[in-house]
Amino acid sequence: MSEEIPKKLVAAISGGVDSSVAAAIFLEQGCELIAVTLKMRSCENPPDKRKSCCGIEDDMYARGAAEKLGIPHYFLNAREQFEERVLRNAWHEYSLGRTPNPCALCNRHLKFGALLDYAVKIGAGGIITGHYSRIERNESGVSLHRGVDPEKDQSYFLFGLTPEQLGKSFMPLGPFTKSEVREKARRFGLPNAEKTESQDACFGFRDETFAQTLCGLFKGTPRRGLIKDKSGKAIAEHDGIHLFTIGQRRGLGIALGAPAYVVEIRPDSGDVIVSKDENDLLSDRLTASNLNWQAADFAGRKFSCLAQIRYRGKAVEAEVVPLPDGRVEVKFEKNMRAITPGQAVVFYEGERLVGGGWID
RNA sequence: UACCCCGUGGUGUAAUGGUAGCACAAGUGCCUUUGGCGCACUUAGUCAAGGUUCGAAUCCUUGCGGGGUAG
């Protein structure tokens, strides 16, 4: 493996333990590293920030880690791209009654987009990230595999990476579990070794959900409407379809004697349909658009695989059938719960991620 | 106007003389590099005022509120 590693690499440092350890691992192998922290819009207005993952505190941790490792550290301004390619896209999705997946977009456009471009521009051979996924390289090319820690595997969010992006990426944490990584952090003496996990969207303000923040940011007009049951009977009013997603239970504010779940969102009328029957959430098929193939030989043909509908969801046996219009139909071996438009379907062959697309 | 029925936490209900329970909702926490699901915990009630009784959501009286029936 070592001979394939470029001598000079950019280490994507977020401030968290993972990316710092990833950098440390490569440093041990004698690489010349340059630490870079992506600055996204969320890093502004620290006092208003709810999360710590992109706040000023993380910038300090990132700087501290780079310092400890003895490598230069820079911030890369990606605010505009983040706003356009991730946030605006996400808001648009909400307006269509879909549920965006900002992390997948961010990976494709920011971390493995803007940041990778920057790395190449300054003459680095690629980037190192702290994702819990494995990238394998051999004569036939690059491939992405699940991380060995099933609780931390993040390959789902990386389905949108092209083979080219993968080829210039390095994810040294894939073979390790979270606790092993933390142990390494201690050994390396990293200042963020005991830092708590970051979680939730890295962009959002206090007491607001991601959707609410986006609505305010883009001065969007919430598509208000009614919460109805399957028969069309109105049950309550709601403040905007962006506040709902398929399968959602909490936040509906309606007491029907049994839990009620969102089964459909109609962007045109603003209706949100709920049902007390969880069976209404079950379906064994879906179609997906804008496919991305990391394994070229899977494109355009029918195949069987393990398909995953959501992050941390269980992958299920499925058959993928190409459609004439370039989309794909996925038929699952068993019913899936709450297939959600806007989320990704990701195809695995064993541990290997072969491709994926966006659920219609 | 008379007669009848009903009135329990935010919602729907259980308990007809003896510790006011359940479901849903809501809140908090856990989980989680999206959204959701899930799990744990918590909050909150007998319409009001009198009376009977050792003891009342439960019985009686009145009032208030809602519904029904009275050519």
Side-chain angles (χ1 to χ4, degrees):
Chain A
M1 161 174 171
S2 54
E3 25 224 303
E4 299 176 42
I5 301 176
K7 297 191 302 288
K8 180 178 176 182
L9 287 166
V10 160
I13 299 285
S14 68
V17 219
D18 297 335
S19 55
S20 301
V21 171
I25 288 172
F26 268 74
L27 201 58
E28 273 196 326
Q29 304 195 10
C31 291
E32 174 194 352
L33 299 189
I34 299 159
V36 176
T37 298
L38 270 178
K39 294 294 288 182
M40 296 177 272
R41 185 181 180 103
S42 55
C43 301
E44 297 173 340
N45 307 318
D48 291 340
K49 285 303 312 309
R50 166 170 76 155
K51 304 304 173 188
S52 62
C53 89
C54 295
I56 190 155
E57 185 185 329
D58 294 273
D59 292 346
M60 299 313 290
Y61 272 115
R63 199 169 271 297
E67 200 169 297
K68 175 67 188 179
L69 295 172
I71 59 179
H73 177 241
Y74 302 100
F75 288 104
L76 178 63
N77 181 3
R79 292 182 176 86
E80 279 182 30
Q81 292 167 80
F82 183 66
E83 179 166 324
E84 289 309 309
R85 318 207 71 159
V86 179
L87 300 183
R88 192 177 293 282
N89 183 314
W91 176 244
H92 183 246
E93 288 282 279
Y94 275 125
S95 72
L96 298 176
R98 293 158 58 86
T99 304
N101 190 323
C103 290
L105 293 171
C106 182
N107 281 329
R108 173 155 188 162
H109 299 298
L110 275 291
K111 293 172 184 165
F112 299 89
L115 180 55
L116 180 52
D117 290 345
Y118 173 76
V120 170
K121 195 163 77 180
I122 64 172
I127 60 173
I128 301 164
T129 73
H131 288 97
Y132 284 83
S133 299
R134 290 170 293 148
I135 294 174
E136 291 190 1
R137 299 156 210 275
N138 55 40
E139 319 73 50
S140 52
V142 223
S143 57
L144 181 66
H145 302 253
R146 289 186 186 277
V148 300
D149 185 341
E151 295 304 309
K152 295 298 296 181
D153 169 49
Q154 292 164 327
S155 58
Y156 176 84
F157 288 122
L158 301 170
F159 88 94
L161 301 198
T162 63
E164 294 66 42
Q165 289 173 311
L166 275 183
K168 295 193 177 66
S169 303
F170 299 86
M171 303 178 184
L173 304 191
F176 303 109
T177 63
K178 180 70 188 193
S179 52
E180 290 172 331
V181 168
R182 213 174 265 287
E183 181 50 39
K184 287 178 186 295
R186 293 191 194 97
R187 265 208 307 277
F188 287 126
L190 293 170
N192 50 16
E194 309 303 332
K195 190 167 176 289
T196 57
E197 293 288 290
S198 67
Q199 52 190 227
D200 291 344
C202 67
F203 178 81
F205 295 108
R206 183 174 298 282
D207 296 330
E208 279 187 349
T209 63
F210 180 63
Q212 289 171 321
T213 300
L214 289 183
C215 187
L217 174 66
F218 295 113
K219 300 179 173 55
T221 304
R223 186 72 179 87
R224 297 173 192 283
L226 299 172
I227 295 177
K228 297 180 175 177
D229 65 18
K230 285 185 289 178
S231 72
K233 179 182 154 202
I235 299 171
E237 298 182 342
H238 72 252
D239 293 328
I241 57 173
H242 62 295
L243 303 174
F244 302 91
T245 186
I246 302 300
Q248 177 177 336
R249 167 183 176 175
R250 299 207 62 174
L252 303 183
I254 53 178
L256 300 179
Y261 300 88
V262 174
V263 296
E264 188 183 349
I265 297 171
R266 298 175 182 162
D268 296 330
S269 62
D271 289 347
V272 171
I273 312 301
V274 302
S275 171
K276 291 190 283 187
D277 185 356
E278 285 195 74
N279 291 321
D280 291 336
L281 289 170
L282 302 180
S283 173
D284 68 349
R285 62 191 55 206
L286 61 80
T287 61
S289 303
N290 297 311
L291 282 294
N292 180 60
W293 301 104
Q294 291 184 359
D297 47 320
F298 282 77
R301 56 165 255 241
K302 178 164 135 180
F303 62 92
S304 292
C305 65
L306 290 169
Q308 189 172 325
I309 279 323
R310 50 169 41 80
Y311 178 56
R312 298 183 89 245
K314 46 290 160 241
V316 169
E317 287 281 353
E319 185 176 66
V320 178
V321 182
L323 298 175
D325 58 8
R327 293 147 71 224
V328 111
E329 175 171 45
V330 183
K331 298 179 199 164
F332 298 91
E333 177 189 62
K334 59 178 212 183
N335 277 327
M336 304 298 279
R337 184 181 187 283
I339 293 173
T340 308
Q343 294 294 296
V345 222
V346 179
F347 312 127
Y348 294 86
E349 185 179 54
E351 297 283 287
R352 182 189 182 189
L353 195 166
V354 299
W358 299 98
I359 300 172
D360 294 322

